[in-house]
């Protein structure tokens, strides 16, 4: 180990200290079921996940056909809030719609 720090060593240390770490991201998925209406799922994608109507319909149909589909990617707190909002809105409307999150 060298006795003296070089300018480069110091610059690298400063950069490390200043580096902005991006928070972990979570994928939020909608799950298919036989009872939730297609209209309600599209409404959820438009209102909770801010999807434009055409994209909301495409995602809903993907979930309907494949069992699961990506609604959005968010930091943990936002993903948790949206997941809880989906379940609450679904239960208020008598639907069993399920939502899950997975760390990226
Ligand atoms: N499979 C439902 C139906 O036929 C529609 C649906 C789509 C339900 C997506 C949930 O996440 C879902 N009415």
């Amino acid at each position: 180990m060298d006795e003296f720090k070089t300018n480069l060593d110091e610059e690298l240390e400063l950069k490390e200290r200043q580096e902005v770490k991006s928070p972990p991201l979570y994928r939020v998925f909608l799950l298919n079921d036989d009872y939730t209406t297609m209209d309600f799922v599209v409404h959820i994608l438009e209102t909770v996940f801010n999807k434009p109507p055409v994209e909301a319909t495409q995602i809903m149909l993907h979930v309907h056909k494949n069992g699961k589909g990506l609604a959005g990617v968010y930091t943990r707190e936002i993903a948790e809030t949206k997941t809880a909002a989906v379940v609450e809105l679904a239960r208020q409307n008598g639907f069993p719609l399920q939502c899950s999150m997975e760390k990226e």
Side-chain angles (χ1 to χ4, degrees), residues 30-85:
L30 289 180
L31 308 181
N32 189 37
D33 66 73
D34 292 339
Y35 304 101
T36 306
T37 61
M38 292 184 173
D39 276 354
F40 184 76
V41 178
V42 171
H43 171 74
I44 287 289
L45 285 160
E46 289 178 2
T47 57
V48 178
F49 298 99
N50 306 312
K51 301 298 185 194
V54 171
E55 193 183 345
T57 302
Q58 287 169 343
I59 295 170
M60 181 281 294
L61 286 173
H62 175 92
V63 178
H64 177 68
K65 284 183 200 148
N66 300 286
K68 178 179 172 179
L70 185 66
V73 180
Y74 308 96
T75 53
R76 185 174 53 78
E77 276 206 16
I78 294 173
E80 283 171 353
T81 303
K82 287 184 188 289
T83 300

